[in-house]
Structure formats: structure tokens, C-alpha cells
Amino acid sequence: MDPVALPLHVTDVSPGGRVGVGAVAGLLAAVVMNVPMHRLPEGSAPPFVAAGALTGDGPTDVNPVLASGTHYAAGVLAGIGHALLALALEGAYPFTARVVSAGLLVVPHLLAVLATYAALVVVFAYLVLPTFGGPVRERAGLVRRDWVLSAGVYALAVAVLVPTLLAAV
């Protein structure tokens, strides 16, 4: 046991299990993220823009089911990315406190949450969104602002869901 680990029972989840938990947490976080996305003025635009980037269609021409599927797939992939990064960072920060009953090192988990948030913001707001012209480009600043807020909710949800799910395994 690590010298600074909490002296409580710690579950040993395999790396593959951790990636699976990351995928489920990412999907659930995408569901939680729907709350601000649907309440913010430009919050529902990002799934349509992302789906349009994949299909080459304009965001107004994208099928809503495809936009929703793209949103949830991105959530799952971001959750997997979080899990892989957290696992990699655990080698660099092995002597940090563990989350009670989850076996999760706190510092690598939180660094992975921050990196996931940054990746979500950069990839969408600065790589995907600028590829569209017309009305989306005119509203890009507002879409970007609402995306930054929604991605923050996703990151907070992942920060809570991963240890919760790991403790349940």
C-alpha cells in the first residue's frame, strides 16, 4: 500500500475494467451534459456542428438522430481517453491519496479530468467549429461560450462518476 494511501479497503480494478468504467462514465456524463446544452441559447448547436463535420453537411442539414449519436459517441470516446490518460499518469504520481473504496489515485484522476476538459474545448471550439461558415460562423463566439460551459459540466460529471462507478465495481 502507498505510504499516503487511505487505510481503507481499495478495490483492484484491471486497466481494461478502468477503460470500461471510463466509457460508461463518459456516456453518463454526456447525458448529464444535455441539461446545460438544452438550456443555453446556442447549447444544442455543437452536436449538429460535430455531426456536420463528419458528414460534410451543414449543421442545419444534419439529421437530429445523427447529431445525438455523435454527441454520445464523443462522450464515450472522451471517457475512454480520460481513463487511458489517468492510467498513464498513475505511473508519474504513484504516491497520492486514493479515493476511498475506488482504488483511484486522486492527482492523476483530476489531471486527466482537466486534460479531458481542455481537449473537448480545443477540439470542438478551435478545430471543428471554425470549419463552418454561414450562420454558424456568425454565432461562433456564442456557440463557443456555451460549449465551454457544457464541456465543464461534462468534466465535473466525469470527475464524480468515475470514482462512483469504480467503487460500485
Side-chain angles (χ1 to χ4, degrees):
M1 182 183 284
D2 295 341
V4 277
L6 298 173
L8 300 171
H9 174 70
V10 177
T11 326
D12 185 26
V13 179
S14 71
R18 295 269 301 275
V19 171
V21 165
V24 171
L27 176 63
L28 294 174
V31 171
V32 170
M33 182 184 192
N34 284 335
V35 174
M37 286 180 69
H38 293 299
R39 292 187 179 181
L40 293 168
E42 297 294 336
S44 60
F48 287 89
V49 170
L54 293 174
T55 63
D57 294 333
T60 57
D61 299 326
V62 170
N63 181 320
V65 173
L66 177 62
S68 183
T70 302
H71 168 66
Y72 293 119
V76 169
L77 290 174
I80 290 170
H82 167 271
L84 293 172
L85 181 58
L87 284 166
L89 288 171
E90 286 179 4
Y93 298 99
F95 299 109
T96 62
R98 292 181 185 270
V99 174
V100 177
S101 297
L104 184 69
L105 297 178
V106 175
V107 171
H109 170 61
L110 294 178
L111 289 174
V113 167
L114 290 174
T116 301
Y117 172 71
L120 287 171
V121 170
V122 168
V123 168
F124 177 77
Y126 297 101
L127 299 177
V128 175
L129 183 59
T131 64
F132 288 97
V136 174
R137 183 170 293 247
E138 294 167 9
R139 301 184 336 252
L142 297 172
V143 172
R144 188 176 289 118
R145 181 205 60 204
D146 288 357
W147 176 251
V148 166
L149 294 171
S150 297
V153 169
Y154 176 92
L156 288 173
V158 166
V160 171
L161 286 166
V162 168
T164 302
L165 292 172
L166 282 173
V169 172

